[in-house]
Amino acid sequence: MPGNKASKQKPCHHCKSRPASAPPDTSTIHYEKFWLYRHCSSVQQRDRQAQKAGQLFSGLLAMNVVFLGSAFISSMIFNHVAITLADVWILLSILKVLSLCWIISYLLGTSRQPHAVLYRDSHAGPIWIRGSVLLFGSFSILLNVFQIGYSAILIQCKSRVEIVFPSIEIFFILTQAFFLWHHSKDCIQVQHNFTRCGLMLTIATNLLLWLLAVTNDTIHMEIESQLREVEQRFEGKAPFSHPYLCNETASCTCPNTTICKVFQKGYILLYPFNTEYCLVCCSVLYVMWKNVGRRISDHHVPHIKPKFKLQGVVFGPLLGTIAVIIGICVFMMYQIQATGSAPSRQAFIIYYSYYIVLLPLMSVGAVIGTIIHALEKKELDTLKNPTRSLDVILLMGAALGQIGMSYFSIVAIVATDPRDLLNSLILSHSVLLIFQNITQNVFIIDGLHRQPFVAAKEDMKEEQNHEAYDQRRVNMLELGQEIQKVSLSYIHSYSHLSWKRRALREISFFLVLCNIILWVMPTFGAHPVFENGLEKSFYGYSTWFAIVNFGLPLGVFYRMHSVGGLLEVYITA
């Protein structure tokens, strides 16, 4: 394994108080070494080669772990007699324990060494990413609590592994969330290769947890669809099947008690958040892996950090709020009608009609925003930024899920009966969804590569005055005057923005709210691709569910990740 060489100079005690953005003394730099490149002519060249070698070894470690876990999960799906779900849980528990050991060693040992964190990446771990980790992590913990309660009620027909596994998962989520919240910006300068291997092991563990969650979520949807078909044929009431009960006997069913139904329904409701949590953690851990051994120079450090402020936007929040309210109404109507024993054709028409109205508005907004970016005279930000590079990769990769499913739907509709009303709506929805994904990606990626707007001196002075005023304590008698001054200040800031900045903020905020509602609907159970039956009858049951197994989780992740990218565009405008 590669080794690391620390400086022979005795470390000073005041270095920990040095600002992360300040350039350290060269004597505090820990250059990397690797036995293959010990004859390099210079220390800097040997350091670069050792860094590449360390990334290669840790990447190979993650690749082998992912392949091993994927083989276990695939064997469980196709040959559940030889490899059971309990076997997969045992493997993942071992990986989680190893990852926990490394995280604890990093928190208690590596990060506390002298000169360990001389730099912090200001672009890594933005507040919306860390907030997502906490939010989805909290829901995932609650999900595991429900799973423990459900398994405890059915302990007579379940193994104890089904209680131990969620317990380890809760401790893993808590420790990982704490680690990412406090150390996501670290550019660690000691124990380079041990840190890289630990990060890659944790990434591989989260990927396997995501793969298992996606597989079980798809099996759960498949069981529900099959039960619905049985109900339509025999007009009876079919028993509920839990996703983890697909291989259990019929006797292992939830008793007719309130507490069991609460655990059951809560598990189903919170299940999608677990997949989101795993993907978000993977993205943050990958940026940390890229930042291991990274030394940030002065020109990489931003002198002005833009903050999110709800100024200069009126029509974007208004139109976006209207879209969210209508979307919630459509979602509730769809859930009530389409989840019954006989899904209503009208529910599908209303659902797809909402998308057909909203998607063109989002596409037009993204195109207008891209044109405004082209008209601006701001220079492109060409500095090295691992966070931005990852954002671009995730946006392009996650969009493939919805785009792929849309093309499969287009082929199925064109080959069957495109003149039918419902089929025409599905066809239009698929075409518009492809166009909206492409235009939104172009707008976000172009905005992420723009230099942030630097406020004028008058604006900065006015902002300081407002901040000083906000620090004063206001009593009840001054409340009316305070509200009036805040309103006048908002109108003043709105009128003083250039039309380009104003339009970019309006468009970005509108797209943020639209992507939120488009994330909420499939996350909480609106899956018309399962219920309409068109693609399933065309491609066959197994083939279509394999396609959806790939596309649906990526589509949900794309909407959530787009919200973060659009917020970045809004702030830099």
Side-chain angles (χ1 to χ4, degrees), residues 28 111 133 182 220 272 281 359 439:
T28 65
S111 63
V133 170
H182 291 280
H220 171 57
C281 289
L359 291 177
T439 54

Side-chain angles (χ1 to χ4, degrees), residues 13 23 75 95 223 239 333 434 458 483 485:
H13 298 287
S75 301
L95 294 177
I223 292 173
M333 187 182 304
I434 294 172
E458 294 79 4
I483 295 175
K485 288 183 178 181

Side-chain angles (χ1 to χ4, degrees), residues 317-328:
L318 179 61
L319 295 176
T321 304
I322 294 174
V324 170
I325 294 174
I326 297 176
I328 293 175

Side-chain angles (χ1 to χ4, degrees), residues 157-359:
C157 59
K158 286 182 173 291
S159 63
R160 294 185 179 180
V161 178
E162 301 187 35
I163 297 180
V164 174
F165 180 80
S167 303
I168 299 176
E169 177 79 5
I170 291 175
F171 185 62
F172 177 73
I173 293 173
L174 286 172
T175 308
Q176 183 174 245
F178 177 84
F179 166 69
L180 295 179
W181 179 265
H182 291 280
H183 296 277
S184 60
K185 297 179 180 291
D186 289 0
C187 298
I188 197 72
Q189 302 296 321
V190 297
Q191 297 183 358
H192 302 88
N193 299 299
F194 180 66
T195 303
R196 287 194 185 99
C197 292
L199 287 169
M200 272 297 169
L201 176 64
T202 312
I203 290 175
T205 303
N206 280 279
L207 281 176
L208 292 176
L209 290 172
W210 171 80
L211 181 60
L212 179 62
V214 168
T215 305
N216 284 329
D217 194 26
T218 304
I219 293 174
H220 171 57
M221 295 177 185
E222 182 176 338
I223 292 173
E224 284 190 336
S225 297
Q226 290 174 339
L227 292 176
R228 222 175 259 125
E229 290 182 358
V230 173
E231 291 175 356
Q232 291 179 10
R233 292 179 183 176
F234 300 99
E235 298 180 356
K237 195 69 176 179
F240 179 82
S241 292
H242 191 273
Y244 289 141
L245 298 178
C246 53
N247 295 326
E248 300 285 343
T249 60
S251 60
C252 192
T253 57
C254 185
N256 191 17
T257 58
T258 304
I259 186 64
C260 187
K261 297 297 182 183
V262 169
F263 287 146
Q264 203 175 64
K265 297 298 182 183
Y267 184 91
I268 298 171
L269 181 64
L270 297 174
Y271 197 86
F273 291 101
N274 192 30
T275 61
E276 299 297 311
Y277 173 77
C278 296
L279 291 177
V280 173
C281 289
C282 286
S283 63
V284 180
L285 290 167
Y286 176 80
V287 173
M288 290 186 65
W289 178 76
K290 293 289 290 185
N291 281 332
V292 172
R294 183 185 176 197
R295 292 180 283 275
I296 303 176
S297 57
D298 290 338
H299 63 275
H300 282 79
V301 180
H303 300 285
I304 298 177
K305 294 183 179 180
K307 297 181 179 180
F308 178 82
K309 293 183 178 180
L310 194 62
Q311 293 181 351
V313 286
V314 175
F315 300 103
L318 179 61
L319 295 176
T321 304
I322 294 174
V324 170
I325 294 174
I326 297 176
I328 293 175
C329 296
V330 171
F331 171 72
M332 295 177 63
M333 187 182 304
Y334 175 85
Q335 286 295 96
I336 293 173
Q337 296 187 23
T339 56
S341 58
S344 172
R345 179 183 175 90
Q346 182 183 3
F348 295 115
I349 294 177
I350 295 175
Y351 182 90
Y352 285 112
S353 298
Y354 173 75
Y355 269 79
I356 290 173
V357 173
L358 184 61
L359 291 177

